[in-house]
Amino acid sequence: MARVVQKFGGSSVADAASIKRVAKRVVASRQAGHEVVVVISAMGDTTDELLDLANQVSPQPPQRELDMLLTAGERMSAALLAMAINDLGLQARSFTGSQAGVITTGVHGNARILQITPGRIESAVDEGDIVIVAGFQGVSQDTKDVTTIGRGGSDTTAVALAAALGADFCEIYTDVDGVFTADPRIVPAARRIPRISYEEMLEMAACGAKILHLRCVEYARRENVPVHVRSSFNNLDGTWVTDIDEEDNSMEQAIISGVAHDRSEAKITIVGVPDRIGEASKIFSAVADAEINIDMIVQNASEVSTAKTDISFTLPESDGKRAVAALNAIAEDVGFDNVLYDDQIGKVSVIGVGMRTHPGVTARFFGALAEAGVNIGMISTSEIRISVVVDSAEVDQAVRAAHTAFGLDSDTEAVVYAGTGR
Amino acid sequence: MARVVQKFGGSSVADAASIKRVAKRVVASRQAGHEVVVVISAMGDTTDELLDLANQVSPQPPQRELDMLLTAGERMSAALLAMAINDLGLQARSFTGSQAGVITTGVHGNARILQITPGRIESAVDEGDIVIVAGFQGVSQDTKDVTTIGRGGSDTTAVALAAALGADFCEIYTDVDGVFTADPRIVPAARRIPRISYEEMLEMAACGAKILHLRCVEYARRENVPVHVRSSFNNLDGTWVTDIDEEDNSMEQAIISGVAHDRSEAKITIVGVPDRIGEASKIFSAVADAEINIDMIVQNASEVSTAKTDISFTLPESDGKRAVAALNAIAEDVGFDNVLYDDQIGKVSVIGVGMRTHPGVTARFFGALAEAGVNIGMISTSEIRISVVVDSAEVDQAVRAAHTAFGLDSDTEAVVYAGTGR
């Protein structure tokens, strides 16, 4: 008997029929002898409909009230799932995030889980009940107001609950079969990854793989919760995200686990920055003051004779305009020549713990890109990742070239991708 | 400056436009210098839509989960109203019943308010905010589960909150202009009653006037909270339900305040009950065991020679079948002849504290009925009420005759009745 936390996303509970299907799945786990706690998202379009209602009464609704409104969505799906399970003859009880003891920061719309005090959940599980928890929501430690946990909130709730309950593992049910070596819409020969380490999954999430949110993976790694990402539409094994002992797995470990890509970033280049101490600091302070997160940074001397340099960095495309404005405001003070903005870029990354022990990964990656005729704009690396910025029109070619170069292509085509996951 | 609790029903918040209209009304009260706490029902059809969803996943959903589901409705309207008020430039905060400290019994679907601990509401009011409370809901004292308060739940919440907050009065906004001397759909000459005592309003509610629920009036009387029932569609004065000093108002007090009617009851007659001690007790024990509330009871000897009697009583029509079954089950034991069931009845009541000091009310009432050709089936009285059971087809005539006989007819026609109220 295992204790398991299962999370079902909005696409798995789009309507009454899908709620009944999820109920059958949950009941099967319980009847297999497991203790089951379910975290559930709002039904399909509920959140969008509620946002639409909010916009009808106020163009800029306060975040506190928006949280109060939106959390009704998960509350409804949680109650409905509990009903459907009861209808199958098993006891189920639904709880709000607040009732489940999900304590968060007070940042409405983007709260972080501080701790979980799952007393009521524990009791219900001990009494043999299936527990349904409304995902995406918690209660602020300071104000006791209802909060929402921001993007990936239900996944993170599930992992955090699994940790707090000492669950054996956490299952994330989604609309794809697991984590793939690349996006199957770009690489039809992409393969499902049966097991991946927390570190690699973190890099994948940070580099554009949308299947699990960064925060959720961070939480799983910190609390050492094994996560099983799998499809809610079949019974196939998905991808296990776990703490992999590299020694044990060296035999089967590929050098590269996957190729990720991200088209959501833009690049800013500041031309002709005086090559003096403190100028870069001024530039990045201005960007930080605008509360913009930057990703890659590259500095290279463009005109050695004039002691000037160019600085480029990438950032979320959605923050582009604000960043350019913040930089133009300090142009005179810093004394640079010009700010260039380019949103026609994409980032392609190869990720794998194998590169720690295998030299030549960079050479092989760049060689494959060159052969495919892809020009590299920027480069950044971590211990287990190499990322390049390329022209957005060349992202697909770059992903395919890398996938082939590292021997990831499968003999058969991947199952058709049903959506983007959440 | 007054402290006031305002309650708006589902018909007042049917869509985004009506929520904005309610927001303007609330803001006007705040800007007039009052401290305002609002209790709000779910938007128009929300509750029915949620019930429909519930029935799609389970034919008999557990009450606990139904409460979890349905309370989402008031939560949404509360958050939306807070947004609309914020949009008008004033601070508003929404709270669930649980957050507002509405502590109830654990009877899901029909809980009763045990007490209100309005600490968070008090703080928010003290900080100058307009407070919006989701009506119809609370939290069970024992299990901490979410409960719904049953019929009239939002009205009762409003009155209970007014009492707990020491509010000067409670305004119940509805879709009619107040309490009328009779249903204007039956008596076009019915008049709005400007003031009515708690006792009279209690009798009116118990006798079929649907504008305020019995529990709500009971609560108001016990806690001595003045209630102002008025329309949300205009600014006219409605009806004040208060503690009326009879001495002070004897001059203006009519003998009869209003005529109420109720078509929702049925009559059961048990024919040929042996006239022995304990037989009536057996009969009403059987009905009570089936958890059926009975209203009027009449016993009269039908056949003196045989020492047998008939017993008639009225009960909610919806409980009729169960009551007949319960009685047939004890027919042999008690030894009565027969059970007759009649759902084609109606109850007509005249109500007024004036009848305490004015003899002849009964004579005038019965005289009017006789003149109108209405046959009286059963009679019951209280200190301030006389009720008769008549054929359902004669209810309208009986109401009109009584209304005229006690001088209640107005010279002008009543404003058209928009609905049934809640």
Side-chain angles (χ1 to χ4, degrees):
Chain A
M1 189 188 85
R3 177 174 282 193
V4 54
V5 174
Q6 302 182 324
K7 182 258 170 176
F8 293 90
S11 61
S12 305
V13 289
D15 52 24
S18 15
I19 287 175
K20 286 165 113 163
R21 200 179 53 227
V22 168
K24 276 187 195 147
R25 213 163 175 135
V26 172
V27 163
S29 294
R30 182 78 191 87
Q31 285 175 334
H34 302 311
E35 293 178 339
V36 186
V37 173
V38 178
V39 174
I40 193 124
S41 301
M43 289 171 73
D45 301 327
T46 306
T47 304
D48 289 340
E49 286 166 16
L50 291 176
L51 277 173
D52 188 47
L53 258 179
N55 288 325
Q56 283 176 44
V57 299
S58 171
Q60 282 205 303
Q63 271 294 342
R64 179 195 184 278
E65 299 305 325
L66 213 44
D67 280 1
M68 193 75 155
L69 180 71
L70 296 182
T71 47
E74 285 77 21
R75 182 197 193 100
M76 294 189 283
S77 54
L80 289 166
L81 179 59
M83 290 175 193
I85 293 171
N86 277 280
D87 199 49
L88 296 175
L90 275 83
Q91 297 276 337
R93 258 186 278 173
S94 67
F95 293 89
T96 65
S98 172
Q99 290 177 332
V102 180
I103 317 286
T104 73
T105 60
V107 184
H108 287 290
N110 197 21
R112 279 175 174 270
I113 297 175
L114 291 172
Q115 60 164 335
I116 300 206
T117 51
R120 294 183 67 179
I121 307 298
E122 287 273 12
S123 305
V125 169
D126 289 347
E127 289 164 22
D129 283 11
I130 295 170
V131 169
I132 320 292
V133 177
F136 179 64
Q137 57 184 262
V139 59
S140 155
Q141 187 168 46
D142 297 329
T143 63
K144 309 294 178 216
D145 284 332
V146 172
T147 54
T148 60
I149 303 178
R151 288 194 53 210
S154 292
D155 290 359
T156 310
T157 306
V159 168
L161 258 174
L165 292 166
D168 297 276
F169 54 92
C170 178
E171 292 184 325
I172 306 282
Y173 285 90
T174 178
D175 51 7
V176 294
D177 283 346
V179 183
F180 278 71
T181 50
D183 185 337
R185 286 170 297 190
I186 294 178
V187 184
R191 289 183 293 192
R192 179 180 59 82
I193 305 173
R195 290 184 77 194
I196 191 169
S197 69
Y198 296 123
E199 289 71 21
E200 288 170 310
M201 195 65 230
L202 269 182
E203 294 278 11
M204 295 278 277
C207 293
K210 292 188 180 61
I211 194 158
L212 281 181
H213 196 264
L214 196 58
R215 278 194 196 173
C216 163
V217 186
E218 279 174 341
Y219 214 108
R221 178 174 62 164
R222 192 169 72 231
E223 304 285 344
N224 201 16
V225 175
V227 176
H228 188 189
V229 183
R230 60 192 301 193
S231 168
S232 63
F233 298 100
N234 61 48
N235 280 308
L236 302 174
D237 248 21
T239 297
W240 282 91
V241 185
T242 58
D243 191 15
I244 292 176
D245 184 333
E246 283 171 46
E247 298 299 314
D248 275 5
N249 292 277
S250 54
M251 290 292 291
E252 62 186 50
Q253 190 69 42
I255 301 172
I256 293 301
S257 292
V259 182
H261 71 279
D262 186 354
R263 281 195 178 85
S264 70
E265 297 198 337
K267 180 172 84 166
I268 285 179
T269 302
I270 304 149
V271 182
V273 181
D275 197 3
R276 287 190 304 263
I277 290 171
E279 299 304 337
S281 164
K282 281 184 196 164
I283 286 169
F284 290 107
S285 294
V287 176
D289 287 348
E291 298 204 355
I292 293 165
N293 286 317
I294 60 173
D295 180 19
M296 294 162 67
I297 305 176
V298 172
Q299 173 173 342
N300 55 325
S302 59
E303 302 171 51
V304 182
S305 57
T306 57
K308 287 200 167 186
T309 182
D310 291 353
I311 296 178
S312 295
F313 63 90
T314 61
L315 75 172
E317 199 179 321
S318 51
D319 290 336
K321 278 190 184 155
R322 284 196 303 129
V324 170
L327 290 169
N328 281 330
I330 58 161
E332 207 167 321
D333 179 32
V334 177
F336 54 75
D337 297 338
N338 204 2
V339 176
L340 303 177
Y341 179 70
D342 181 5
D343 58 9
Q344 296 301 305
I345 64 158
K347 187 170 72 168
V348 176
S349 309
V350 294
I351 291 142
V353 293
M355 67 175 77
R356 283 184 186 140
T357 46
H358 290 77
V361 171
T362 310
R364 203 196 293 189
F365 183 26
F366 290 2
L369 293 178
E371 210 167 297
V374 174
N375 190 43
I376 299 174
M378 294 167 79
I379 302 166
S380 87
T381 60
S382 80
E383 206 190 355
I384 63 168
R385 173 185 55 82
I386 306 168
S387 300
V388 296
V389 168
V390 302
D391 192 285
S392 70
E394 294 180 339
V395 165
D396 287 9
Q397 289 154 261
V399 170
R400 280 188 216 112
H403 199 266
T404 303
F406 287 102
L408 295 173
D409 290 356
S410 150
D411 296 338
T412 56
E413 271 205 14
V415 177
V416 174
Y417 215 71
T420 56
R422 218 193 117 174
Chain B
M1 188 190 82
R3 176 175 282 194
V4 54
V5 174
Q6 302 182 323
K7 182 259 170 176
F8 292 90
S11 61
S12 306
V13 290
D15 52 22
S18 16
I19 287 175
K20 286 165 112 163
R21 199 177 55 225
V22 168
K24 276 187 196 147
R25 208 157 183 142
V26 172
V27 163
S29 294
R30 182 78 190 91
Q31 285 175 334
H34 302 312
E35 291 178 341
V36 185
V37 173
V38 177
V39 174
I40 192 128
S41 301
M43 289 170 73
D45 301 326
T46 307
T47 304
D48 289 340
E49 286 166 16
L50 291 175
L51 277 173
D52 188 47
L53 258 179
N55 287 327
Q56 283 177 42
V57 300
S58 172
Q60 282 205 304
Q63 272 294 343
R64 178 194 185 278
E65 299 305 325
L66 214 44
D67 280 1
M68 193 74 156
L69 180 71
L70 296 183
T71 47
E74 285 77 22
R75 182 197 192 100
M76 294 189 282
S77 54
L80 289 167
L81 179 59
M83 290 175 193
I85 292 171
N86 276 281
D87 199 49
L88 296 174
L90 275 82
Q91 298 277 335
R93 258 186 279 174
S94 67
F95 294 89
T96 64
S98 172
Q99 290 177 331
V102 180
I103 317 287
T104 73
T105 60
V107 185
H108 287 290
N110 197 21
R112 279 176 173 268
I113 297 176
L114 292 173
Q115 60 163 341
I116 300 207
T117 51
R120 294 182 67 179
I121 307 299
E122 287 272 14
S123 304
V125 169
D126 289 347
E127 288 164 22
D129 283 10
I130 295 170
V131 167
I132 320 293
V133 176
F136 180 64
Q137 58 183 261
V139 60
S140 154
Q141 188 168 47
D142 298 329
T143 64
K144 309 296 177 215
D145 284 333
V146 172
T147 54
T148 59
I149 302 178
R151 290 196 53 212
S154 292
D155 289 0
T156 312
T157 306
V159 168
L161 259 175
L165 292 166
D168 296 277
F169 55 92
C170 178
E171 292 184 324
I172 306 282
Y173 285 90
T174 179
D175 50 6
V176 294
D177 283 347
V179 183
F180 277 71
T181 50
D183 185 337
R185 285 170 298 190
I186 295 178
V187 185
R191 289 183 293 191
R192 178 179 59 80
I193 305 174
R195 290 183 77 192
I196 191 169
S197 68
Y198 294 123
E199 288 72 19
E200 289 169 309
M201 195 65 229
L202 269 181
E203 294 279 10
M204 295 278 277
C207 291
K210 291 185 180 64
I211 193 158
L212 280 182
H213 196 266
L214 197 57
R215 277 194 197 174
C216 163
V217 186
E218 279 173 341
Y219 214 109
R221 179 174 63 163
R222 192 169 73 231
E223 303 285 343
N224 201 15
V225 175
V227 176
H228 188 189
V229 183
R230 59 192 302 195
S231 168
S232 63
F233 298 100
N234 60 48
N235 280 309
L236 301 175
D237 248 20
T239 297
W240 282 91
V241 186
T242 57
D243 191 14
I244 292 177
D245 184 333
E246 284 172 46
E247 297 300 314
D248 276 6
N249 293 277
S250 53
M251 290 293 291
E252 63 187 52
Q253 190 70 36
I255 301 173
I256 295 300
S257 292
V259 183
H261 72 279
D262 187 355
R263 281 194 180 85
S264 71
E265 296 197 338
K267 180 171 83 165
I268 285 178
T269 303
I270 304 149
V271 182
V273 181
D275 198 2
R276 287 191 303 264
I277 289 172
E279 299 304 338
S281 165
K282 280 185 197 164
I283 287 170
F284 290 107
S285 294
V287 177
D289 287 349
E291 298 205 355
I292 292 165
N293 286 317
I294 59 174
D295 180 19
M296 293 161 68
I297 304 176
V298 172
Q299 173 173 342
N300 55 323
S302 59
E303 302 172 51
V304 181
S305 57
T306 57
K308 286 200 167 187
T309 181
D310 291 354
I311 297 180
S312 295
F313 64 90
T314 61
L315 75 171
E317 199 179 321
S318 52
D319 290 336
K321 279 190 184 155
R322 285 196 302 127
V324 171
L327 289 168
N328 282 329
I330 58 161
E332 207 167 319
D333 180 31
V334 178
F336 56 74
D337 298 337
N338 202 3
V339 175
L340 304 177
Y341 179 71
D342 181 5
D343 58 8
Q344 297 302 305
I345 63 157
K347 187 169 73 168
V348 176
S349 309
V350 295
I351 290 142
V353 293
M355 68 174 77
R356 282 182 187 142
T357 46
H358 291 78
V361 170
T362 309
R364 204 197 291 188
F365 183 26
F366 291 180
L369 293 178
E371 210 167 299
V374 174
N375 190 42
I376 299 174
M378 294 168 78
I379 301 167
S380 87
T381 60
S382 81
E383 205 189 357
I384 62 168
R385 172 185 56 83
I386 305 169
S387 299
V388 296
V389 168
V390 301
D391 192 284
S392 71
E394 295 179 338
V395 166
D396 288 9
Q397 289 153 260
V399 170
R400 280 189 214 110
H403 200 266
T404 303
F406 289 101
L408 296 173
D409 289 357
S410 148
D411 297 338
T412 57
E413 271 205 16
V415 177
V416 174
Y417 215 70
T420 56
R422 217 193 118 173

